[in-house]
Amino acid sequence: MTARDDTPLWLFADQLSPVVHGGEHAHREVLLVEADSALRRRRYHRQKLHLVLSALRHADHDLGDRATLLRAETYTDALERYGRPVLVHEPTSHAAERFVHRLRRVGLVADVLPTPTFALPRKDFADWAGERSRFRMEDFYRDQRRRFDVLMDGAEPVGGRWNYDTDNRESPPKNQETLGVPKPYQPREDGIDDKVRRDIDRMDVDTVGNDGPRLFAVTPAEAKRALQRFIDHRLPMFGRYEDAIMGDDWAMSHSLLSVPLNLGVLHPLDAVHAAEQAYRDKTAPLAAVEGFIRKILGWREYVWNLYWHFGPGYTRNNKLHAREDLPDWWRDLDADSVTAECLRHALIGVRDRGWTHHIQRLMVLGNHALQREYNPRELTEWFATAYVDGFRWVMPTNVVGMSQHADGGMLATKPYASGGAYINKMSDHCGDCGYDPKKRLGDDACPFTAGYWAFVNRHQDLLAKNNRTQRAVSSMKRLKDLDAVLAQEKSRTAF
Ligand SMILES: Cc1cc2nc3c(=O)[nH]c(=O)nc-3n(C[C@H](O)[C@H](O)[C@H](O)COP(=O)(O)OP(=O)(O)OC[C@H]3O[C@@H](n4cnc5c(N)ncnc54)[C@H](O)[C@@H]3O)c2cc1C
Ligand code: SF4
């Protein structure tokens, strides 16, 4: 069966933008579905359920007579009740993709079109990837800049450099509690949000995390305002402190655009072009603009395409043989039971907002999980459900590859493990912590410092073969108290 001109369009909750339902489809009726089984299937952060339901219901409201929103037990139930075959764009996970193709075979779906919510078509990435087995984001990113003609002067990058990463690694500023940048955009909640909140209270769903005011944009109009506020007020400081953590500044100068981007209500090229314009208008410096564009046109597109390229088996990778179950305090976001300041703060962020910035995900949570051998598959599932921006496609490469090195280095050249000294350099947490980042032995030994040496010891054969990590192995071999440190970490039960 093929789609006809009057075939309605079914939108998943992460396809709510005019690039999906406007243009050549602007005349079609739209079907939206709230499937209770999908909400119940996993233990999501409460605020994530709120964002997804709010996004769907706002789309239903904004599309007016064009839209029908059905609430049903399953998607199949909704489509059967709707009674007309629908057109759909490729969904964003392997499981959902298999599902829509099954629906097509039974006639509930008329046709499946490529998704327009990313910049690079999947087919073009497949051509780029070819037979490669190792991937370098930098190569991909430069090709993306050329292809979309972003920050280019003819064939050369503007400013003569492709990458300003080295300008973007400053420690947090001293004698300041916050970065002092204007606050991020915060949407004004409305009657739809109130109703969503009441409905979640009534639903039979097991959630994690605290409820709280809605912090992220869920409609194209809100996303536009969020982007504009970021570009006008926060972009100039983006980058410089990108790798830093400040305990009293949860958002720092990050964009907070991952939710609207992942819901499909903000197109990545719109964000990229707005940032480039700020550079051309001289309202933001090149290092900040390039850093932001690299994240979206580079990292985000790369992670999306590698999700498809690596295939559904990628999350089964466990090359470092990490087999520990996630502890209950972690799963339940019980931040109050944690004494390590950096870890406690990161868990508070997840508990209270379902969001922490990148470096807390990588340097604190991911680093802890790597050192303590948490099962990467379970960890992937945790990030996908506990974070408000956690969608299926974005997790595997970030967690299995970048953070846990469980793919054996297909993505990252070395495991992202670091001790307390680095966290001390890049955050303002250690001064308030009962542990001492310089100590590896004793009651106040920092769990990250001691955990780092235990990690190096466990994987010394692998690390010694890599010229980026072999020095860590020789340093470890010089530690006179190594056996005592290893014994201490083996019996550590609290952090
Ligand atoms: C262990 C781990 C888990 C992560 N989980 C998620 C997740 O569930 N959802 C998610 O969208 N991102 C995830 N990321 C990537 C990144 O941390 C978040 O996109 C970012 O922190 C979101 O906040 P922001 O919008 O303020 O980002 P900014 O710092 O302002 O960056 C701008 C945008 O760049 C994109 N971006 C940057 N880095 C990445 C990346 N590595 N992968 C994909 N997109 C990127 C995001 O869309 C982000 O909105 C994860 C990273 C790690 C290391
Ligand atoms: S001392 Fe160690 S545990 Fe405490 S904040 Fe610093 S790095 Fe984290």
Side-chain angles (χ1 to χ4, degrees), residues 124-433:
D124 294 10
F125 182 86
D127 294 343
W128 178 86
E131 298 301 307
R132 289 169 209 238
S133 59
R134 304 249 151 200
F135 292 86
R136 280 194 63 225
M137 204 297 278
E138 189 63 28
D139 298 340
F140 171 76
Y141 167 59
R142 290 182 188 187
D143 284 347
Q144 288 276 89
R145 290 262 299 270
R146 290 189 193 99
R147 179 186 178 114
F148 293 100
D149 194 23
V150 171
L151 288 182
M152 297 298 292
D153 261 342
E156 297 303 315
V158 294
R161 274 162 63 190
W162 289 100
N163 185 318
Y164 289 79
D165 224 6
T166 46
D167 299 7
N168 289 347
R169 290 202 189 122
E170 288 191 34
S171 302
K174 298 255 178 288
N175 308 319
Q176 269 178 239
E177 308 262 290
T178 68
L179 266 192
V181 289
K183 283 193 187 138
Y185 164 84
Q186 186 176 337
R188 192 171 299 145
E189 289 199 14
D190 58 13
I192 293 179
D193 290 297
D194 293 343
K195 173 89 169 55
V196 167
R197 190 162 277 121
R198 287 197 302 277
D199 285 353
I200 295 177
D201 285 337
R202 278 200 296 264
M203 275 177 200
D204 175 26
V205 284
D206 185 19
T207 58
V208 68
N210 292 343
D211 193 11
R214 179 157 71 82
L215 296 173
F216 302 94
V218 297
T219 69
E222 287 182 349
K224 215 168 167 181
R225 287 197 282 275
L227 173 64
Q228 200 56 51
R229 177 153 180 95
F230 170 70
I231 298 286
D232 292 347
H233 299 287
R234 297 164 56 79
L235 174 63
M237 286 286 273
F238 185 90
R240 204 164 149 198
Y241 300 108
E242 217 178 293
D243 284 0
I245 304 175
M246 298 179 87
D248 287 335
D249 193 345
W250 66 274
M252 297 187 65
S253 54
H254 295 277
S255 69
L256 270 62
L257 292 173
S258 53
V259 169
L261 281 164
N262 294 356
L263 286 172
V265 294
L266 175 63
H267 197 276
L269 286 176
D270 289 342
V272 164
H273 290 146
E276 179 174 17
Q277 195 55 46
Y279 164 70
R280 306 258 179 217
D281 293 344
K282 300 189 174 41
T283 56
L286 183 54
V289 170
E290 188 282 317
F292 178 68
I293 287 177
R294 179 153 27 91
K295 294 243 170 199
I296 295 191
L297 200 58
W299 277 111
R300 185 170 188 274
E301 292 274 314
Y302 189 58
V303 157
W304 157 253
N305 281 293
L306 285 179
Y307 172 75
W308 297 103
H309 189 77
F310 288 159
Y314 181 74
T315 40
R316 284 198 290 276
N317 273 308
N318 191 356
K319 294 280 183 338
L320 298 184
H321 310 291
R323 308 215 192 281
E324 291 295 319
D325 290 336
L326 305 189
D328 287 344
W329 56 266
W330 177 287
R331 282 186 191 284
D332 296 340
L333 307 178
D334 183 8
D336 296 336
S337 70
V338 175
T339 47
E341 268 302 280
C342 54
L343 194 52
R344 193 173 72 82
H345 264 264
L347 275 185
I348 288 174
V350 189
R351 182 193 68 193
D352 293 350
R353 299 179 200 93
W355 185 95
T356 61
H357 61 71
H358 183 70
I359 216 66
Q360 288 174 295
R361 302 182 200 207
L362 196 58
M363 196 199 294
V364 180
L365 296 168
N367 190 16
H368 171 85
L370 181 66
Q371 293 183 0
R372 304 295 153 182
E373 302 185 270
Y374 293 172
N375 181 316
R377 201 166 180 188
E378 278 189 31
L379 190 68
T380 305
E381 185 64 24
W382 180 79
F383 270 106
T385 47
Y387 271 76
V388 290
D389 57 14
F391 287 70
R392 294 277 131 197
W393 61 269
V394 69
M395 283 304 155
T397 26
N398 271 308
V399 179
V400 174
M402 197 187 313
S403 151
Q404 301 300 297
H405 210 71
D407 62 359
M410 285 159 80
L411 196 75
T413 50
K414 69 178 183 70
Y416 194 100
S418 68
Y422 190 60
I423 297 178
N424 191 24
K425 176 170 180 266
M426 298 309 294
S427 81
D428 58 6
H429 282 312
C430 299
D432 301 326
C433 185

Side-chain angles (χ1 to χ4, degrees), residues 73-89:
E73 177 57 22
T74 65
Y75 289 116
T76 312
D77 290 348
L79 290 167
E80 282 171 352
R81 186 158 18 120
Y82 191 55
R84 294 161 67 191
V86 291
L87 186 62
V88 70
H89 290 84

